Amino acid sequence: MSGIENKVILITGGGSGIGLAAALAFAREGAKVLITGRRAAALDEITAANPTIEGFVADAADPASAGAAVEHAVKLWGRLDVVVNNVGDGGVGPMELVDAERIAAIFKVNVVYPSMVCAAALPHLAASEGLIVNMSSTYGSKAGAPLSYYAASKAAVEHLTRCWALEFAPKKIRVNAIASGPVETTFMQKQMGLPDDVIEAIKEHERGTIPLGRRGVPADVGEWIVTLARPELGWITGQIIAVDGGLQIT
């Protein structure tokens, strides 16, 4: 018994990458999982193969969908134990070439949307003495060029994590974050819109910079999200846990 059986988990951006890896890991341990994403077909494919995972179409650029996702999880299973704020947006480029609309879009997805999810989930997490896991990045604390606005949004996520941990502790809600290093997902293609040659150059540079010599895979990070939900870690809150092959210490 892992202590995760029958817990209800909400994972934003759970249709691929780290979010999907975490969803599958939770499901293997007997949890009930609601994943959100923009593509109904992708969610349907996942849920058809996994009876304890349900999908909910939601766009993180629309803050109103945050509360709807929370309500759907509670409607399905009557409670909510864990919120994983995994959905993210980002951009690479010289700061003077990033316009105000793009900056606002990054912060809307990476900072505003998780805030709205947690605000809607708060009474349910208080009832279950639950957990919030925010997704940060190595670059939430490590300077990186040209990643300034993405990095700044993740720095905001890390400080929200610490502030919420203090604010919600009287309700017995824990709040932690995972600072993920570079992982083999479609993020650079889909969210950042980079061409293939640029992506490969970035990957080659990262492999040479990461002390353990490789980029991560989604399960490297997804398993840590599940670990934070285990009862044995019930005295950990307000922490930013680096899962990045040692990149943060270079």
Side-chain angles (χ1 to χ4, degrees):
M1 300 287 283
S2 68
I4 294 175
E5 302 87 353
N6 297 315
K7 286 188 179 294
V8 174
I9 321 295
L10 169 61
I11 303 176
T12 66
S16 62
I18 292 169
L20 177 56
L24 294 173
F26 273 119
R28 284 194 297 271
E29 300 209 17
K32 299 176 175 66
V33 187
L34 180 67
I35 57 174
T36 74
R38 291 181 296 177
R39 297 174 298 134
L43 298 179
D44 289 344
E45 183 177 348
I46 295 164
T47 58
N50 298 277
T52 60
I53 300 178
E54 296 285 343
F56 185 79
V57 176
D59 185 351
D62 175 17
S65 71
V70 170
E71 289 176 12
H72 192 68
V74 175
K75 180 180 178 181
L76 284 172
W77 297 301
R79 59 182 292 143
L80 183 59
D81 298 279
V82 179
V83 168
V84 181
N85 285 309
N86 172 72
V87 69
D89 193 3
V92 176
M95 65 84 65
E96 71 274 15
L97 299 182
V98 184
D99 62 26
E101 184 177 353
R102 186 73 190 99
I103 297 168
I106 292 169
F107 275 80
K108 178 181 282 188
V109 172
N110 291 358
V111 179
V112 176
Y113 194 78
S115 299
M116 296 300 96
V117 171
C118 289
L122 199 60
H124 307 291
L125 294 175
S128 64
E129 297 187 358
L131 167 70
I132 296 167
V133 180
N134 293 323
M135 286 306 301
S136 183
S137 161
T138 301
Y139 297 102
S141 59
K142 180 182 177 69
L147 294 165
S148 55
Y149 299 112
Y150 171 75
S153 73
K154 292 303 186 179
V157 167
E158 293 191 2
H159 205 55
L160 283 174
T161 297
R162 289 184 281 263
C163 290
W164 290 350
L166 283 178
E167 184 175 352
F168 303 157
K171 301 178 186 293
K172 301 297 186 290
I173 300 170
R174 297 186 298 118
V175 189
N176 294 293
I178 300 287
S180 172
V183 170
E184 297 289 356
T185 70
T186 59
F187 186 79
M188 286 193 285
Q189 292 101 323
K190 292 182 177 178
Q191 274 71 30
M192 293 186 170
L194 299 178
D196 290 344
D197 59 334
V198 173
I199 291 172
E200 188 50 45
I202 291 171
K203 288 183 176 182
E204 184 62 28
H205 171 73
E206 289 171 343
R207 284 190 286 266
T209 305
I210 296 168
L212 290 183
R214 69 171 177 88
R215 290 164 54 84
V217 296
D220 288 327
V221 183
E223 292 291 343
W224 261 101
I225 294 171
V226 176
T227 296
L228 283 171
R230 299 190 191 285
E232 294 86 351
L233 273 72
W235 208 42
I236 296 178
T237 196
Q239 301 305 301
I240 315 299
I241 299 171
V243 184
D244 64 1
L247 180 58
Q248 192 174 83
I249 58 175
T250 60

